[in-house]
């Protein structure tokens, strides 16, 4: 029969061996071919099999590309396992039918089982998609709330905020339309509508979110700079200079010591000659920064600092060290430790000022009594 031969000539992958010659995109494109769909529809009508051609053709995708087609369903899911196994059986039997031009007696039951499993999978997949869409809607709502805060009221941010809000409104509308297309999503659509007055947005810590996001973006950007070939040390050098300058502000009388330990001219020389990434040079630089801490902090903090120094030394000597990942973490920890040092010294200075003022007030009071 010409129909059987015509379908065989499409050379679709009925076996795992043949599937290796196909990419996901190639197979998808072929299965969407109108002639293939039309011929398979005629085949199933001729065989008196009650199944839509697109569902039967999906067996090619579930058999050979299950991780892509069913990425929303976990590997341990029994429906997923059964559907993959059944799709391979369907393809094996389909090939027999096309070659022998007759239908096995049990093929109807195979098709029914595959169709039932397919419907269960579609239902599970829809549930996962619904949850993902609602969560996306929530994320856009939070972003929209951030754009309505005073931080974005400044003239330099207004155009940017207005455009972004317009884009968000458009995406939110598309999410609702996607939910409507999935069908049986009234509850999920209502969740999205309710988020227009989402209570969490009223208590959200905007400053914290912006600060944390900016912090993460900053250190990620630095890591990317250092992973370039050759590494881009521009930002790193600026941070090191900031560390030196902050030490000088904390203890101005030690400026020459700090400038000697963190020699910016030498560091710039290493950077321009593309040798700053040398592990020994970097370790020496960080050892000098540690010395700055020891020159500045109270001796009672030396033990804790020494423990941290040993930890850094172990990391530098580790064969598994990845500098572009480690350096940003180390710089971040140095800045945090520097913040704490500044805070401690400011408290001490504040206490000394109060004590001095009290002493002065007491001295003035005693002088008045004598007079």
């Amino acid at each position: 029969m010409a129909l059987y031969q015509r379908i065989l000539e499409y050379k679709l992958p009925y076996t795992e061996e043949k599937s290796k010659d196909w990419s996901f995109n190639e197979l998808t494109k072929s299965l969407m071919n109108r002639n293939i769909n039309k011929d398979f529809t005629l085949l199933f009508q001729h065989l008196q099999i009650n199944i839509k051609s697109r569902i039967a053709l999906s067996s090619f995708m579930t058999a050979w590309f299950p991780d892509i087609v069913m990425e929303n369903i976990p590997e341990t899911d029994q429906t997923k396992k059964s559907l993959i196994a059944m799709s391979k059986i369907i393809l094996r039997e389909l090939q027999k039918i096309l070659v022998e031009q007759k239908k096995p007696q049990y093929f109807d039951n195979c098709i029914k089982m595959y169709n039932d499993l397919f419907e269960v999978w579609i239902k599970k997949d829809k549930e996962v998609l619904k949850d993902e869409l609602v969560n996306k809607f929530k994320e856009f709502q939070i972003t929209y709330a951030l754009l309505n805060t005073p931080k974005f009221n400044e003239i330099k941010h207004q155009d940017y905020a207005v455009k972004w809000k317009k884009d968000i409104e458009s995406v939110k509308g598309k999410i609702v339309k996607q939910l409507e297309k999935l069908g049986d999503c009234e509850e999920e659509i209502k969740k999205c509508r309710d988020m227009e007055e989402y209570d969490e947005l009223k208590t959200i810590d905007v400053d914290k979110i912006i600060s944390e996001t900016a912090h993460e973006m900053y250190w990620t950007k630095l890591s990317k700079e250092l992973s370039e070939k050759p590494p881009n040390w521009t930002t790193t050098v600026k941070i090191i200079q900031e560390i030196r300058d902050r030490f000088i502000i904390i203890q101005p009388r030690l400026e020459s010591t700090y400038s000697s330990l963190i020699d910016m001219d030498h560091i710039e020389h290493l950077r321009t000659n593309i040798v700053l990434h040398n592990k020994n040079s970097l370790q020496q630089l960080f050892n000098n920064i540690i010395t700055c801490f020891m020159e500045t902090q109270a001796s009672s903090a030396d033990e804790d600092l020494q423990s941290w120094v040993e930890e850094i030394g172990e990391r530098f000597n580790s064969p598994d060290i990845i500098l572009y990942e480690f350096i940003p973490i180390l710089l971040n920890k140095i800045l945090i430790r520097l913040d704490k040092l500044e805070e401690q010294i400011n408290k001490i200075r504040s206490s000394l000022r109060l004590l001095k003022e009290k002493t002065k007030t007491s001295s003035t009071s005693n002088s008045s009594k004598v007079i």
Side-chain angles (χ1 to χ4, degrees), residues 63-74:
W64 313 133
F65 297 99
D67 292 336
I68 299 176
V69 176
M70 295 186 282
E71 61 178 347
N72 293 326
I73 309 299

Side-chain angles (χ1 to χ4, degrees), residues 50-179:
N50 185 26
I51 189 172
K52 293 179 179 178
S53 61
R54 65 177 180 81
I55 294 176
L57 290 172
S58 70
S59 59
F60 286 98
M61 307 305 295
T62 51
W64 313 133
F65 297 99
D67 292 336
I68 299 176
V69 176
M70 295 186 282
E71 61 178 347
N72 293 326
I73 309 299
E75 295 295 329
T76 53
D77 186 89
Q78 193 55 49
T79 301
K80 182 174 182 176
K81 291 179 179 178
S82 300
L83 188 59
I84 294 169
M86 187 53 66
S87 66
K88 292 178 180 178
I89 293 172
I90 293 293
L91 295 180
R92 184 189 68 202
E93 295 307 315
L94 260 179
Q95 188 179 34
K96 280 185 183 179
I97 289 170
L98 293 169
V99 173
E100 299 173 7
Q101 298 191 10
K102 63 179 182 179
K103 180 181 70 170
Q105 289 183 345
Y106 56 82
F107 191 66
D108 287 334
N109 289 332
C110 289
I111 286 290
K112 185 180 184 309
M113 190 178 295
Y114 179 80
N115 192 55
D116 290 344
L117 287 167
F118 185 86
E119 292 300 322
V120 173
W121 163 59
I122 288 294
K123 188 175 180 181
K124 287 185 176 183
D125 195 54
K126 277 185 178 180
E127 291 302 317
V128 175
L129 286 173
K130 288 175 189 177
D131 290 341
E132 284 183 356
L133 288 169
V134 172
N135 287 333
K136 278 185 182 178
F137 195 98
K138 176 181 174 180
E139 289 172 8
F140 282 118
Q141 277 295 93
I142 292 174
T143 305
Y144 195 90
L146 293 177
L147 294 170
N148 281 325
T149 61
K151 287 185 179 292
F152 291 92
N153 285 340
E154 297 176 27
I155 294 175
K156 63 180 179 179
H157 294 312
Q158 280 180 353
D159 291 343
Y160 161 77
V162 168
K163 184 183 182 304
W164 199 357
K165 284 193 285 186
K166 187 177 178 181
D167 291 341
I168 288 173
E169 287 291 355
S170 173
V171 173
K172 282 162 54 181
K174 288 176 182 176
I175 288 175
V176 172
K177 285 181 180 178
Q178 284 180 285
L179 287 169

